[in-house]
Amino acid sequence: MNNDKKARRRHQRICEVLQEQEHMQVLELCELFHVSPATIRNDLTVLEKKQLLKRIPGGAVSIGRMPQNTIFTARESQHMDLKIKMADYAVEHLIKEGMSIALDAGTTCYAIAKRLADASLRCTVITYSLPVANALVHCEQVEVFLMAGRLDKQHESFHDDVAVEAMKRMNSDLFFLSPNGIDAHAGITSSATDENIMKLLMHEHAEETIVCADHSKFFKKAFKTICPLSDIQGILSDSELRAEIQQKYSDMGVRLYLAKK
C-alpha cells in the first residue's frame, strides 16, 4: 500500500476514533497507529483544514463535541442497554451481602439501584440522587441514606452545603463513580461542577472506588479531575471497549470489569 493510501486510511480512522472517543492525545494516536508524533501532527493539521476536527494543545477533539453534564432525563436514555448490562454485572459480581454502597447521581448508578431493587441482596445505599433513592424506596432489604438539602431539579440531585455536611459523616465499602470522561493523563473527569464536591467526598469516604463508564467515555477529558487513575480500584465498562484500549489501561495497572452483551 502506498503512503498516500495509508495516510487516507489513517485519516479516516482518526475521524472515527474521535467521533467515538471525542478527544485524543498525539501520543495516544501514535500508539494506536504506530507512527511518529510528527506524522500524527501533520495528519491533524490536514484534518483540521478540512474542518473534520479541532486541534488542541497536545491532541485533537471532534468538532462540536465535548463531554457535558446534560440533564438527567436526557442522559438516562443514552446507551441504556449498556447501562443495564453494567448494572447486572455490578450486582452479580461486585456488590456483596451486607456492604455499604455509595451511588452518585449518574444514570449508570440509577440503573444499579433499579437492579438492586429486584435482587435479594441485603445492603446499605448512600446517595444524593433522588432517582436512586426513589428506585429503592419499596425495597425492604436495602437501607437507604439520602444526603439531601436543596433539590437541583434539573439534575434531580442534592449537592448544596446541607448535603455536603451530611456526606462528610458517611462512609462506605464501595463507591460507584459515574464520570463524564476518562483520560490516561487527566484521570477521572467530570463536567458536573456543582456536583463534583459530592463525588469527591464519596470517593474520599469509600474503602474502594469503581468507576462506571461505558466505552464511549474513554479518551474524553471533561472540565474537572475528580481523581487520578491510581486512586481507583477498577473501571466497570462494557465489552464494546476496543481491545487496544483494554490493553492500554491494563498495561497502566487499571483493572477492567467488562459487562458482556
Side-chain angles (χ1 to χ4, degrees), residues 130-175:
L130 186 59
V132 166
N134 283 337
L136 296 166
V137 72
H138 297 299
C139 184
E140 293 184 2
Q141 71 271 21
V142 179
E143 189 170 15
V144 179
F145 288 84
L146 179 60
M147 306 297 102
R150 182 183 61 82
L151 176 63
D152 177 342
K153 294 181 180 180
Q154 185 178 43
H155 298 107
E156 300 184 37
S157 63
F158 304 91
H159 44 75
D160 66 347
D161 56 345
V162 178
V164 166
E165 288 303 313
M167 188 60 229
K168 287 178 180 178
R169 297 190 293 271
M170 305 301 292
N171 300 294
S172 68
D173 297 310
L174 182 58
F175 170 35

Side-chain angles (χ1 to χ4, degrees), residues 75 78-87 107-108 111:
R75 287 183 285 121
Q78 295 172 354
H79 304 290
M80 185 181 297
D81 57 332
L82 300 180
K83 292 171 184 175
I84 292 172
K85 294 296 184 185
M86 290 162 62
T107 50
T108 302

Side-chain angles (χ1 to χ4, degrees), residues 81-212:
D81 57 332
L82 300 180
K83 292 171 184 175
I84 292 172
K85 294 296 184 185
M86 290 162 62
D88 288 344
Y89 188 101
V91 173
E92 292 171 9
H93 300 287
L94 300 176
I95 300 175
K96 308 300 181 186
E97 184 81 11
M99 270 188 168
S100 56
I101 309 300
L103 298 175
D104 69 15
T107 50
T108 302
C109 285
Y110 176 50
I112 292 173
K114 290 194 291 185
R115 180 65 176 81
L116 274 175
D118 294 330
S120 57
L121 273 175
R122 180 184 58 84
C123 64
T124 298
V125 167
I126 302 163
T127 189
Y128 58 93
S129 163
L130 186 59
V132 166
N134 283 337
L136 296 166
V137 72
H138 297 299
C139 184
E140 293 184 2
Q141 71 271 21
V142 179
E143 189 170 15
V144 179
F145 288 84
L146 179 60
M147 306 297 102
R150 182 183 61 82
L151 176 63
D152 177 342
K153 294 181 180 180
Q154 185 178 43
H155 298 107
E156 300 184 37
S157 63
F158 304 91
H159 44 75
D160 66 347
D161 56 345
V162 178
V164 166
E165 288 303 313
M167 188 60 229
K168 287 178 180 178
R169 297 190 293 271
M170 305 301 292
N171 300 294
S172 68
D173 297 310
L174 182 58
F175 170 35
F176 288 97
L177 167 58
S178 303
N180 291 102
I182 299 177
D183 182 83
H185 305 288
I188 311 305
T189 65
S190 173
S191 57
T193 53
D194 292 334
E195 186 190 332
N196 276 350
I197 183 61
M198 297 298 285
K199 291 179 183 284
L200 182 59
L201 283 171
M202 283 190 158
H203 170 60
E204 291 176 345
H205 287 246
E207 289 294 321
E208 295 187 347
T209 294
I210 300 293
V211 173
C212 301

